[in-house]
Amino acid sequence: GHKYYLQFTTEDYRSRQNVGNCLATVFYQKRKSPPAVTINCVDTKDEKQIQEEDNTFYQKIKQQTKPIIASDIPDSYGNIEPALEPVWALAVVGSSYIMWEKSTENLGYSMAQVKSVKQWIRKDDFTEFDYTVLLHETPTQEMIPCHMRVIWLPGHPLKVKYFCAPENQLSEEASGMESGSAAGILYEKEENF
Amino acid sequence: MTHVKESNSELVTQHYLGKTSENRTMYYLQISQPSNKTKKIIWMDCGIHAREWISPAFCQWFILQNYKSDPKIIRFLQNLDLYILPVLNVDGYIYSWEKERLWRKNRSSHMNGTCYGTDLNRNFNSSWGSIGVSYNCSSDIFCGSGPESEPETRAVAQFIERKKEDILCYLTIHSYGQYVLTPYGSTTKPPSNNEELVGDENFGPLEIIAKFTGANENAVPILNLQMQVAGKAATALMGKYGTSYQVGATSLILYSNSGSSRDWTYMIGIPFSYTFELRDKGTHGFVLPPDQIQPTCEETMLAVTAIIDYVDQKYFPSGGVILTSGSLGLSLCLSVVFTWTVF
């Protein structure tokens, strides 16, 4: 198999400020099965500040009087309405779970755009959103639509359920990889923006 | 020869290049300082992939520079003509504005109108159809029915082939990823070049992806002149807003692909052939926020002029002061980051 040693930094997408340093190993032993990953990150950003920013985002969503329904975020010209920025950011985080599961040694992803989003108002404090996102797949260059449901409350594990359009037969990675299965439910540690 | 009065309208002229699949006209712009000197040519095209909107935006920015007052530009225009194709894939670009923002290919029709589009950057005659492509029209990397099957490809290839003796540099602008890419995409074998540099070139804090020869402590990167020049460009770019680009061969940094325009121009003998992948690194990808358009264009301008400067100095050395874009008067720490992956 192939073993990769990675050293990388993470940065805030707005300020380009360094927020973390990570060391990881990724071991692809067998083709078509998820790799073994070890990872260690050190946050360079202050925990309190992270929580504050999460709460600001959360409040912005909670302040909406009607369920948020939107499409094309960003729009064709790259604009994101300020009120919708947290919704976009939440889609990025949710998509990162999809990409974590979908990525292989030969296929990588980025979230290209939120095609649509619909909020489900809940009686409890959680926020819940139904998304259709487009994932840009390399090197095939395809745009993969994924249906994604995200449930979030700061200080709680993020819940993501998703279903992506099945890979078409022409890609090298056989379509059998997705096994036609339905939503994958994923519980993860608390996620910060 | 008569001296022509300087004015932008006499510097910039529009010329017919060819037709697209949907029969639209392709024009290139020639920026040329009238004189009796024979000039060499720098070619730059943008918008080969429809959704990469920052690319035509950059060509447009480039064209709107002030050619009359910028001393650097005035100097190299004495020896070099600039040929700019602001949008290569006109049909695809229009389609991405009107119908589907994330469209990539051209709009040629296949299978009786049931499937559209060839990836123009897989359609050139450089190891065409061999790797990193699909033979299926539905794919976004469909290489076409044959090399140069697309009218857009033919229009560009025929022109460049005719002028290749005079073209010193070929630049093709894409997004996204923040890379300056050197040949090849179709093989990991470094391009043969009788001006190879090994080891101690100071690339400063740039990230260069290179193949190695030797092992462990004795491992030495295989660098070449193309990479050195690309490194100058990336350094100049980073000086503006701190945006960092990676430099190296497509097949090592990205993935293997055949039929690219950049590989083809290098194969027919154009020594300085580069692909630029502009901002960003995936946060917004193809749909870059409007407030990043101007900074991207400004920093990219510095990179492109660094390359043109280098070419100008190399082929038209002057006796006077030699300005290199690398000599910023800073002593950068010698830290070259090399990464290599097991294939």
Side-chain angles (χ1 to χ4, degrees):
Chain A
H2 294 147
K3 194 168 195 180
Y4 298 85
Y5 298 88
L6 302 175
Q7 182 177 358
F8 60 95
T9 56
T10 52
E11 62 176 35
D12 181 306
Y13 71 88
R14 278 187 288 178
S15 65
R16 288 215 253 173
Q17 184 201 10
N18 178 298
V19 296
N21 299 315
C22 302
L23 282 176
T25 65
V26 180
F27 184 31
Y28 293 97
Q29 184 150 38
K30 294 176 214 162
R31 243 188 141 225
K32 297 187 183 195
S33 71
V37 177
T38 68
I39 182 162
N40 265 304
C41 290
V42 174
D43 288 339
T44 51
K45 195 170 182 181
D46 175 48
E47 176 85 35
K48 267 222 161 83
Q49 203 190 341
I50 295 172
Q51 280 169 7
E52 253 175 53
E53 289 178 5
D54 276 2
N55 277 312
T56 307
F57 266 173
Y58 174 77
Q59 291 307 323
K60 274 196 184 158
I61 294 171
K62 277 298 182 182
Q63 270 153 30
Q64 305 290 315
T65 47
K66 288 181 295 185
I68 295 169
I69 297 179
S71 56
D72 287 350
I73 315 171
D75 66 16
S76 287
Y77 313 103
N79 298 303
I80 300 178
E81 255 178 82
L84 291 177
E85 202 195 328
V87 176
W88 174 82
L90 193 59
V92 173
V93 180
S95 297
S96 71
Y97 288 107
I98 302 178
M99 296 189 270
W100 176 262
E101 290 208 318
K102 257 178 105 58
S103 301
T104 68
E105 200 173 352
N106 303 303
L107 286 176
Y109 298 91
S110 274
M111 189 189 90
Q113 193 182 31
V114 173
K115 279 311 277 181
S116 68
V117 60
K118 182 174 176 186
Q119 181 180 13
W120 296 98
I121 305 285
R122 294 168 64 107
K123 296 195 195 115
D124 56 26
D125 290 329
F126 284 83
T127 60
E128 181 168 350
F129 293 90
D130 233 358
Y131 290 94
T132 304
V133 292
L134 290 176
L135 299 187
H136 175 217
E137 183 181 76
T138 45
T140 62
Q141 297 295 338
E142 301 298 328
M143 287 292 166
I144 314 290
C146 295
H147 200 109
M148 176 175 77
R149 179 165 293 206
V150 172
I151 298 168
W152 179 58
L153 176 65
H156 291 259
L158 187 77
K159 289 185 198 168
V160 180
K161 293 186 196 180
Y162 69 92
F163 178 71
C164 296
E167 309 279 339
N168 46 30
Q169 269 67 29
L170 46 86
S171 69
E172 227 179 275
E173 301 291 315
S175 55
M177 251 178 98
E178 297 302 326
S179 293
S181 65
I185 303 174
L186 203 66
Y187 290 83
E188 271 296 345
K189 290 203 297 279
E190 170 175 4
E191 200 54 32
N192 296 306
F193 288 49
Chain B
M1 297 289 245
T2 36
H3 279 286
V4 183
K5 182 178 165 226
E6 268 185 34
S7 77
N8 272 341
S9 58
E10 273 141 348
L11 273 180
V12 184
T13 50
Q14 181 180 294
H15 302 265
Y16 175 88
L17 189 70
K19 292 273 193 181
T20 67
S21 306
E22 291 181 331
N23 217 30
R24 292 188 175 89
T25 307
M26 296 164 73
Y27 293 109
Y28 69 92
L29 294 176
Q30 184 177 339
I31 302 169
S32 181
Q33 180 69 251
S35 87
N36 25 8
K37 273 187 177 183
T38 38
K39 315 270 200 57
K40 291 294 186 182
I41 297 167
I42 310 274
W43 168 282
M44 181 165 75
D45 60 62
C46 292
I48 196 172
H49 288 139
R51 58 194 179 200
E52 298 167 10
W53 285 11
I54 189 65
S55 164
F58 173 68
C59 270
Q60 192 172 321
W61 178 273
F62 186 88
I63 289 158
L64 294 171
Q65 291 308 292
N66 198 328
Y67 298 104
K68 286 187 284 185
S69 67
D70 187 324
K72 268 192 161 189
I73 294 179
I74 291 173
R75 181 171 34 81
F76 62 64
L77 281 182
Q78 285 169 18
N79 307 309
L80 299 167
D81 285 347
L82 308 178
Y83 287 39
I84 318 288
L85 178 54
V87 186
L88 196 157
N89 180 9
V90 185
D91 298 344
Y93 188 59
I94 291 173
Y95 191 78
S96 72
W97 273 76
E98 295 182 346
K99 295 280 192 315
E100 195 178 320
R101 176 61 178 85
L102 295 170
W103 187 257
R104 170 181 165 89
K105 304 183 286 179
N106 75 347
R107 290 294 301 167
S108 60
S109 160
H110 302 269
M111 287 159 55
N112 277 341
T114 59
C115 183
Y116 286 87
T118 296
D119 183 343
L120 294 173
N121 206 34
R122 301 287 184 277
N123 190 238
F124 283 78
N125 195 13
S126 42
S127 309
W128 178 88
S130 61
I131 192 168
V133 297
S134 170
Y135 306 117
N136 191 312
C137 170
S138 325
S139 166
D140 259 328
I141 50 175
F142 173 54
C143 53
S145 51
E148 297 185 14
S149 59
E150 306 306 298
E152 295 92 342
T153 312
R154 281 198 302 278
V156 173
Q158 281 164 11
F159 182 84
I160 292 182
E161 177 73 52
R162 261 200 342 261
K163 301 270 198 175
K164 68 180 179 188
E165 301 304 317
D166 292 325
I167 302 177
L168 298 176
C169 176
Y170 172 83
L171 302 175
T172 183
I173 314 295
H174 291 244
S175 76
Y176 57 89
Q178 296 177 200
Y179 307 111
V180 185
L181 301 169
T182 61
Y184 289 105
S186 48
T187 168
T188 57
K189 181 171 76 84
S192 59
N193 184 306
N194 58 7
E195 297 183 72
E196 271 182 20
L197 319 161
V198 179
D200 59 24
E201 174 64 26
N202 183 349
F203 284 92
L206 268 197
E207 204 174 316
I208 312 280
I209 312 291
K211 268 198 148 178
F212 272 68
T213 178
N216 303 320
E217 307 84 41
N218 303 314
V220 146
I222 304 169
L223 305 172
N224 56 43
L225 187 59
Q226 274 73 20
M227 290 178 84
Q228 182 194 18
V229 177
K232 286 191 202 293
T235 302
L237 188 152
M238 182 155 48
K240 184 78 180 171
Y241 296 111
T243 307
S244 79
Y245 270 52
Q246 286 177 297
V247 173
T250 301
S251 56
L252 293 182
I253 289 193
L254 283 187
Y255 41 75
S256 292
N257 69 286
S258 56
S260 70
S261 64
R262 190 276 325 280
D263 274 4
W264 179 77
T265 58
Y266 186 77
M267 285 174 176
I268 62 165
I270 295 170
F272 297 99
S273 290
Y274 298 104
T275 306
F276 274 77
E277 296 276 358
L278 303 185
R279 287 198 199 178
D280 58 17
K281 290 198 73 70
T283 305
H284 296 96
F286 301 117
V287 204
L288 203 61
D291 60 8
Q292 288 199 42
I293 298 175
Q294 180 165 324
T296 303
C297 291
E298 289 174 336
E299 66 190 13
T300 308
M301 190 70 199
L302 296 180
V304 170
T305 46
I307 294 177
I308 298 176
D309 263 353
Y310 175 85
V311 169
D312 183 35
Q313 300 288 349
K314 179 181 169 73
Y315 291 94
F316 302 93
S318 59
V321 180
I322 295 173
L323 297 166
T324 56
S325 51
S327 59
L328 302 167
L330 302 170
S331 47
L332 303 164
C333 297
L334 177 64
S335 64
V336 187
V337 179
F338 293 104
T339 47
W340 63 100
T341 56
V342 179
F343 280 91

